[in-house]
Amino acid sequence: MPHVDLTLPHHRYRIHIEPGLLSRLGELVRSVAPHKKAAVLVDANIAATLGARAKASLAAAGYDTLLHAIDAGEQHKNLDTVRQMYDVLIDAKLERKSPVIALGGGVMGDSVGFAAATYLRGVPFIQCPTTLLAMVDASVGGKVGVNVPRGKNLIGAFYQPNLVAIDIDSLDSLPPRELRCGLAECVKHGVIRDAARFNWLQRVVPAVLRGDKPTLVELVQWNVQIKANVVMADEKETGERAHLNFGHTFAHAIEATTGYGDGGYYHGEAVALGMVAATRLAIDRGLCPPTLLSQLVKLLGDIGLPTHAADLPPTPRLMEAMRLDKKVASGKLRLVLPRQLGEVVIDDTSSDEAIAAAWQTLRQPQSVTVPA
Ligand code: GLY
């Protein structure tokens, strides 16, 4: 069955990718974290469906299983939710070797991961992502954490899971808008590492959007492999892992100023806009050819992601929010900019004027020529 192995100097784990995998969750968890108790912390929207299936599988594998539902919108990814998780784990008397399973999207994975990293100074942690975005990005690589009002993911840790279990069938019930948001991170992986797969993605968009299973398995496996390769080369983001932030410094500023998806842009939509802005900046600075923007805008447009936004907050507010992002070093903004399809650089030499100009161009449709 398709899988990717992630090997680090002190830890290794397998990412399983399979339709119907939830029914085997119990045996998989037992192979990495045998114990008498387990806890599944699940997005409340899927507690009765996928949550019940996960619990049944764990019970069949001999776990005394606690299933607890959490409100999982981005607005709940905060320390109050983590405190609620601690109470649940303490009440259930979960022990040092009891596995804690995050079942849901990136918000669940990040916040449950942070609770698992800190409860009893760390318990076995299993990622069970149910959204495309969490499958191809958030669940792999060990970044866990929460938002605070002044910024996204400002509180967190590196805490690698013991296992990632991806049931492709979870995508059956995913709203189309969320599927498109996951595809934004796939586009990102193509731009930063893999021109051939970027072009493959352009060809398979219709199959992905209609939920074709073999295409979805291939899509997820490709993206997990890219993510795992980057994390294996640079676990703690001292170098190339920062490439995964392509589009994200712009995106986080959009999210921070428009309320983290609460009626505004979802993360993947903000990333789509952020990748367009970063590419526009790279072109304006003579770092990459204009054709890259054409290819990016075409692919994002075909997926149904935004490539411009007339309703963005004023540029000075967006610039201020960018400065609060984690990617500021010695007061300088470090941006990931494309050189060509499949290659990016980390750059801290863009002037405020050039960055502000990129924000301005995001306000109207991109004037690019799409190659025939
Ligand atoms: N999502 C970016 C990273 O894991 O580094």
Side-chain angles (χ1 to χ4, degrees), residues 87-301:
D87 284 339
V88 166
L89 300 178
I90 293 167
D91 286 347
K93 299 189 170 55
L94 267 272
E95 296 173 8
R96 258 252 166 92
K97 291 196 168 165
S98 316
V100 170
I101 296 133
L103 181 61
V107 168
M108 283 307 293
D110 285 10
S111 48
V112 173
F114 188 70
T118 44
Y119 175 65
L120 302 180
R121 295 203 181 86
V123 292
F125 172 46
I126 315 297
Q127 285 273 20
C128 208
T130 59
T131 65
L132 182 61
L133 195 140
M135 291 175 184
V136 299
D137 185 15
S139 66
V140 177
K143 278 191 182 175
V144 296
V146 291
N147 303 330
V148 287
R150 281 190 294 169
K152 207 172 144 76
N153 297 330
L154 289 186
I155 309 298
F158 287 100
Y159 192 67
Q160 299 291 345
N162 297 69
L163 169 82
V164 182
I166 300 179
D167 185 344
I168 293 289
D169 289 347
S170 326
L171 298 176
D172 293 349
S173 51
L174 191 69
R177 187 175 174 188
E178 292 208 30
L179 189 71
R180 291 197 292 271
C181 283
L183 284 168
E185 300 288 355
C186 304
V187 173
K188 177 191 82 178
H189 286 152
V191 176
I192 69 166
R193 284 291 179 279
D194 198 333
R197 279 294 184 173
F198 181 98
N199 294 325
W200 173 82
L201 183 54
Q202 177 66 67
R203 288 197 301 279
V204 300
V205 168
V208 170
L209 294 180
R210 70 167 182 270
D212 178 70
K213 288 281 157 69
T215 310
L216 286 171
V217 171
E218 189 174 349
L219 176 78
V220 172
Q221 189 174 12
W222 156 53
N223 281 280
V224 166
Q225 188 66 65
I226 294 223
K227 177 83 192 258
N229 289 348
V230 173
V231 172
M232 286 190 280
D234 175 24
E235 183 190 2
K236 298 279 171 70
E237 200 171 311
T238 53
E240 72 170 83
R241 184 163 180 169
H243 291 175
L244 296 168
N245 297 329
F246 171 54
H248 281 61
T249 307
F250 287 95
H252 288 170
I254 295 172
E255 292 175 275
T257 54
T258 59
Y260 294 132
D262 203 12
Y265 294 98
Y266 284 13
H267 178 64
E269 294 162 346
V271 168
L273 291 168
M275 291 190 289
V276 170
T279 304
R280 178 63 82 175
L281 177 61
I283 292 166
D284 290 349
R285 295 208 34 223
L287 294 172
C288 93
T291 44
L292 181 52
L293 187 60
S294 321
Q295 290 167 291
L296 181 63
V297 167
K298 163 104 176 90
L299 179 52
L300 294 173

Side-chain angles (χ1 to χ4, degrees), residues 14 23 37 59 69 79 100 106 115 143 160 199 263 286 291 298 308 312 327 329 331-332 343 346 358 371:
R14 180 159 285 192
S23 61
K37 287 187 185 180
L79 288 168
V100 170
K143 278 191 182 175
Q160 299 291 345
N199 294 325
T291 44
K298 163 104 176 90
H308 75 281
L312 289 177
K327 269 78 73 184
K332 287 191 159 194
E343 185 191 340
I346 300 169

